[in-house]
Structure formats: structure tokens, C-alpha cells
Amino acid sequence: AQTVTQSQPEMSVQEAETVTLSCTYDTSESNYYLFWYKQPPSRQMILVIRQEAYKQQNATENRFSVNFQKAAKSFSLKISDSQLGDTAMYFCAFKENNAGNMLTFGGGTRLMVKP
Amino acid sequence: KAGVTQTPRYLIKTRGQQVTLSCSPISGHRSVSWYQQTPGQGLQFLFEYFSETQRNKGNFPGRFSGRQFSNSRSEMNVSTLELGDSALYLCASSFGGTTNTEAFFGQGTRLTVV
């Protein structure tokens, strides 16, 4: 079974600075997908960024980028120019290829952006 | 277009009762997945339905069941409620292909069992 670990339960960052959230996973699969989801106080899970394991290039979405290290099974999220609206829980998630839409989530990192 | 809609948003039930939660997916989406979110166990996958058939199932007791209708709307049922079933229940919909199709989440149903 796949496992996803987020080792930082809580983090804080000053507005406009950069922060990196860590995620490691364990799988014997070679083809899979990784995601970062954001859950603000409204509880709505919002997809931040996704990475296909077969792609060597790290995904980027505006201020959000990932550092995907397949051999190390590491998938960190970097948030640049942090904004107050980035305050939320962040979940790393894993999905096998050809496994429907069954996501395995990490325990989450609570991020606080301070003014 | 309308997002994923979960009803009700909040629910209070008594131990031993049963409860039914509803999820209406985004139009055109054929896959609906359910997750339980608790402070202690985090986000755990319950089951996924695709074209009215259960495609994947998580490690939950048989008291948790679900179904999907021909219009892709899904319901999950929990029978003989226990205090530990208190949680936020999230559903997610997607087009349903087995490759990378983005899952869109609803706002959840907060179930409290007393």
C-alpha cells in the first residue's frame, strides 16, 4: 500500500517570503501522479499543482512550484511571494496510474502566512 | 459551471441511527469518490463510483456503503452510527478516466454523532 508522509505539521512564513513544504511517499509503482491540495478554513479542497511521475520537468503554476525527486520519492511544494490568502492546510496526495480516482493523502501541513 | 454540491452541509445524529449524505458531481463527470476527514486519522478514502459501479473501496467497515445513480449523483450511507463516525465527509468528482483526471471537491458534510 502507498503511504504519504508530511513531516511538518505546522509552518509559518512572512508575507512576500518563500516557503517550502515537504512530502515523501512510498510506492512500488513506476507510473503515478502526485498532487498538492489546499484546504482553507472554508474546507473546500482546491488543487494547487500536480505532477506526472513520468515527467522529469518539475510542475509550475504561477507562484507554486514543486521539486519532484523520483528516486528519493520526494515531492516538495515551494510557494513564492507568499500571500495572506495562502494561509490554509496543505495536503500532498498520491494516485496510482489506472487506479481510478483513489487518492492517498498525507497528514497535512498547516501554513500560516503572517503580515 | 456549477461545482460539486454536497448536502446537507451539517448534520447531527444520535448513536445507533443511520445517515445518508448526497453528492452531486460537476456536469459531465462520471466518477464520484468519498473521503472521511478527522483530526486523528486525516483524510481517508472510502470508495469510488464510476458509471453506477463501485470501482475502488477503502478500508472501512460494512456500515459504510454507497451508490451512484444514472445521473452520476452519489449517496453514501452510514448505518448504526458510532461516536467515531463524527467527521467531515468530502466527495470529489472527475470525468473518471483512469489516467490523470483532476478531482474537484465539494465543501463537505460535517457529521456530528452524539
Side-chain angles (χ1 to χ4, degrees), chain B residues 80-96:
Chain B
T80 319
L81 283 165
E82 300 177 0
L83 294 179
D85 297 333
S86 294
L88 179 67
Y89 290 89
L90 293 166
C91 85
S93 79
S94 71
F95 284 109

Side-chain angles (χ1 to χ4, degrees), chain A residues 28-57:
Chain A
S28 57
E29 301 292 325
S30 59
N31 208 5
Y32 49 86
Y33 303 90
L34 295 162
F35 308 86
W36 279 98
Y37 279 90
K38 168 184 176 181
Q39 188 179 41
S42 67
R43 308 180 316 198
Q44 181 94 45
M45 293 283 279
I46 302 163
L47 179 65
V48 174
I49 199 166
R50 64 184 171 201
Q51 175 81 42
E52 292 87 343
Y54 65 85
K55 289 187 178 179
Q56 293 185 337
Q57 187 172 7

Side-chain angles (χ1 to χ4, degrees), chain B residues 7-110:
Chain B
T7 56
R9 293 288 308 279
Y10 302 91
L11 207 49
I12 300 176
K13 289 287 188 178
T14 303
R15 268 184 304 175
Q17 288 186 316
Q18 75 165 14
V19 66
T20 299
L21 312 182
S22 178
C23 174
S24 293
I26 291 171
S27 178
H29 285 189
R30 295 165 63 193
S31 166
V32 174
S33 300
W34 289 89
Y35 295 85
Q36 182 195 65
Q37 186 175 20
T38 61
Q41 299 298 316
L43 276 153
Q44 294 185 287
F45 173 79
L46 281 154
F47 29 66
E48 179 198 7
Y49 285 86
F50 177 74
S51 293
E52 302 179 64
T53 300
Q54 189 178 85
R55 180 157 72 174
N56 287 296
K57 187 178 189 304
N59 188 26
F60 277 81
R63 299 185 298 107
F64 292 81
S65 62
R67 60 178 175 170
Q68 187 179 35
F69 302 95
S70 58
N71 62 357
S72 294
R73 189 178 71 86
S74 177
E75 289 181 346
M76 69 162 279
N77 184 275
V78 188
S79 62
T80 319
L81 283 165
E82 300 177 0
L83 294 179
D85 297 333
S86 294
L88 179 67
Y89 290 89
L90 293 166
C91 85
S93 79
S94 71
F95 284 109
T98 53
T99 55
N100 184 23
T101 55
E102 180 179 346
F104 293 83
F105 282 81
Q107 288 193 286
T109 294
R110 170 76 66 186

Side-chain angles (χ1 to χ4, degrees), chain A residues 39-88:
Chain A
Q39 188 179 41
S42 67
R43 308 180 316 198
Q44 181 94 45
M45 293 283 279
I46 302 163
L47 179 65
V48 174
I49 199 166
R50 64 184 171 201
Q51 175 81 42
E52 292 87 343
Y54 65 85
K55 289 187 178 179
Q56 293 185 337
Q57 187 172 7
N58 288 326
T60 299
E61 287 287 341
N62 300 314
R63 299 182 294 108
F64 300 88
S65 62
V66 298
N67 183 4
F68 173 49
Q69 301 289 327
K70 190 172 184 179
K73 297 180 181 175
S74 169
F75 182 61
S76 61
L77 173 70
K78 185 171 83 171
I79 305 174
S80 304
D81 186 25
S82 296
Q83 300 175 359
L84 296 178
D86 295 333
T87 292

